[in-house]
Amino acid sequence: MGNVIHIDEARIRDHLGEMVRGTVEEALNAMLDAEADRLCGADRYQRSEARKDTRAGHYERSLQTKAGEVKLKMPKLRQQTFETAIIERYRRRESSVEEALIEMYLAGVSVRRVEDITEALWGTKVSPSTVSNLNKKIYEKIEAWRNAPIEGAHPYIYLDGIVMKRSWAGEVRNVSLLVAIGVTSEGFRDVLGICEGAKEDKSGWSSFLRHLVDRGLSGVELVISDACRGLIESVADYLPDARWQRCIVHFYRNVFSHVPATKVRDVAHMLKAIHAQESREAAAAKAEAVIAELRRQRMGKAADLLEERIEETLTFYAFPDSHWIKLRTNNPLERLMKEIRRRTKVVGAFPDGKSCLNLAAARLRHVAGTEWSTRRYMNMQPLHEMKLQTHGAAVA
C-alpha cells in the first residue's frame, strides 16, 4: 500500500507560531532602530553635520503580543531620552492583549481564571494587580457614562435594587446597588443610572432619584417597582407628577406567603385573572370576587392583603392597552439584575463599594450598547394620542 505519511500538526503549529513571533520581533526592532536614527538625524555610524545625537547601546525589554513574548532592543541615546511612538514607555503588552484582558474580566471571568488563560495563550501569568490597573482605564469611561446627561423624555421608568457583599472595616457587609432603566418617548429602552446605597431605604432612594433628576430625567409618567416603602416615598418627592405601578409578580409572591403550598397554583390563576381583564373596572370587580373566594376557603390573610393593596397593581390600566403587558411587572429590569448577579458572583465579597459599583456599571454599559437598547421595546405613537384613543374607546 506504500508508505503512510504522518503529519505532526502540533509541531507544525509550534513552528509556524515561532516563525510569526520571530517575524514580529524582527519587524519591531527594525522600526525601533529606524526611529532612533531619525532622532539622531543620521544612520548608525554615519558621519554627518546634520547629526543631533549618538547611540549609547541598548537595553532589552519584553513585550507580550498575540504572537507571543518578543524581546525588544530599546535604543539608548547619549543626549536625550529615547521616546518611541511605536510602543508607549513602560508598556509590557500589546494594546490588543490589554483589551482582551479587560474584556475577559468584564465578561465574567474571575481574576484567577484570567491568570490561567493568559498563561495558556501568551506563556506568562498576569497578576491580579495588573488586571486591576488595566480596569482603571475602562472605569474612567464608566464613571463618565454614569454621570452623563439624560436626554429626552422617559414616560416609563423601572426601579429596583440588588444586594451585594463588600468588605467594610474588616467585616463583610451588605451594600445595595440601585438601578433605573427607562423607555424613551420613541419606545426604546435606556439604562438611566446605577448608584450605591447603604440599603434600600428612603435616604438611598432619595439620593439616587436626585442624581437622576439632576442629570436631566424628565417626562416621567409612570414608575414601575416593587413595594419598597422608601422608594415609594422618594418617588413622591422627586417625581410628583408620576404615577406608581406595583410589580404584580412581587405582589403575587407577597400573597403566596399567606397561602398553603397546596393552594398556590389555584390562587395564582385567580390573581392572573384579575390583571387579564379588559378594563380597570372589570379588574376591580374580579378582585372583589377573588377576595370573597379566598375568604370562603379560609385564607383570610391573603384576602386582607389583596383587599388593601390590589389598587396599587392596577395603575397600568390608565395607559394604552398595547403597553399593559410591559407595564405590569418589573421584568425588563429583573433581567438586567440577573446579568449583574451572573457577572459579580465570581467575585464574592468586593474589597470596596467602588469596585462593586464599577463592575456592575460596566456590565450595564455593555448591555446598553447591544440590541437590548437598539430594538424598539414599545410602540409609543405619540403617547397622548394613544391615551385619547384608549379613553375614547372606554367611553364608547
Side-chain angles (χ1 to χ4, degrees), residues 180-194:
I181 66 172
V183 178
T184 68
S185 53
E186 290 77 34
F188 295 95
R189 284 179 293 187
D190 190 12
V191 177
L192 299 176
I194 176 171

Side-chain angles (χ1 to χ4, degrees), residues 370-388:
T370 65
E371 188 182 358
W372 180 89
S373 63
T374 57
R375 184 178 65 248
R376 190 181 295 276
Y377 185 63
M378 292 184 187
N379 176 19
M380 299 292 283
Q381 162 206 344
L383 191 56
H384 67 281
E385 293 182 9
M386 296 184 72
K387 285 183 179 179
L388 288 175

Side-chain angles (χ1 to χ4, degrees), residues 54-65:
T54 56
R55 299 281 194 103
H58 68 268
Y59 64 93
E60 286 196 352
R61 172 179 153 191
S62 62
L63 176 71
Q64 296 296 329
T65 72

Side-chain angles (χ1 to χ4, degrees), residues 107-123:
V109 181
S110 66
V111 173
R112 179 167 296 181
R113 186 64 179 145
V114 168
E115 293 180 38
D116 296 338
I117 292 172
T118 54
E119 185 175 32
L121 290 177
W122 300 301

Side-chain angles (χ1 to χ4, degrees), residues 53 70-71 75 82 86 92 103 113 128 160 180 190 216 257 259 291 322 332 356 358:
D53 206 342
V70 298
K71 296 293 183 182
F82 179 72
I86 301 168
R92 291 291 180 266
E103 283 296 322
R113 186 64 179 145
D160 201 0
D190 190 12
S257 65
V259 173
I291 292 169
S322 60
C356 175
N358 282 336

Side-chain angles (χ1 to χ4, degrees), residues 32-46:
L32 291 171
D33 276 335
E35 193 162 11
D37 290 342
R38 182 183 61 80
L39 291 173
C40 289
D43 295 339
R44 186 183 293 185
Y45 309 123
Q46 180 185 7

Side-chain angles (χ1 to χ4, degrees), residues 172-293:
V172 176
R173 298 185 182 180
N174 291 338
V175 61
S176 294
L177 295 182
L178 311 180
V179 182
I181 66 172
V183 178
T184 68
S185 53
E186 290 77 34
F188 295 95
R189 284 179 293 187
D190 190 12
V191 177
L192 299 176
I194 176 171
C195 282
E196 178 188 350
K199 53 184 178 179
E200 290 188 66
D201 57 5
K202 184 175 181 181
S203 174
W205 280 112
S206 293
S207 177
F208 182 41
L209 290 176
R210 183 169 59 248
H211 167 72
L212 297 178
V213 171
D214 289 345
R215 287 171 49 215
L217 178 63
S218 63
V220 180
E221 299 188 28
L222 182 67
V223 175
I224 304 97
S225 72
D226 60 14
C228 173
R229 183 179 296 278
L231 186 158
I232 299 168
E233 293 175 355
S234 298
V235 166
D237 291 339
Y238 290 93
L239 300 171
D241 297 329
R243 301 187 186 188
W244 174 60
Q245 165 67 37
R246 183 173 183 173
C247 172
I248 65 171
V249 173
H250 287 86
F251 180 65
Y252 290 176
R253 291 172 186 163
N254 295 146
V255 175
F256 295 155
S257 65
H258 303 294
V259 173
T262 56
K263 295 289 185 179
V264 168
R265 183 181 180 87
D266 294 337
V267 174
H269 288 310
M270 296 181 195
L271 296 177
K272 289 178 181 179
I274 296 174
H275 299 102
Q277 300 301 310
E278 69 278 5
S279 67
R280 184 186 181 111
E281 292 72 21
K286 184 65 176 178
E288 290 180 4
V290 171
I291 292 169
E293 179 61 21

Side-chain angles (χ1 to χ4, degrees), residues 113-134:
R113 186 64 179 145
V114 168
E115 293 180 38
D116 296 338
I117 292 172
T118 54
E119 185 175 32
L121 290 177
W122 300 301
T124 182
K125 279 192 174 184
V126 175
S127 67
S129 60
T130 299
V131 176
S132 178
N133 290 333
L134 289 176

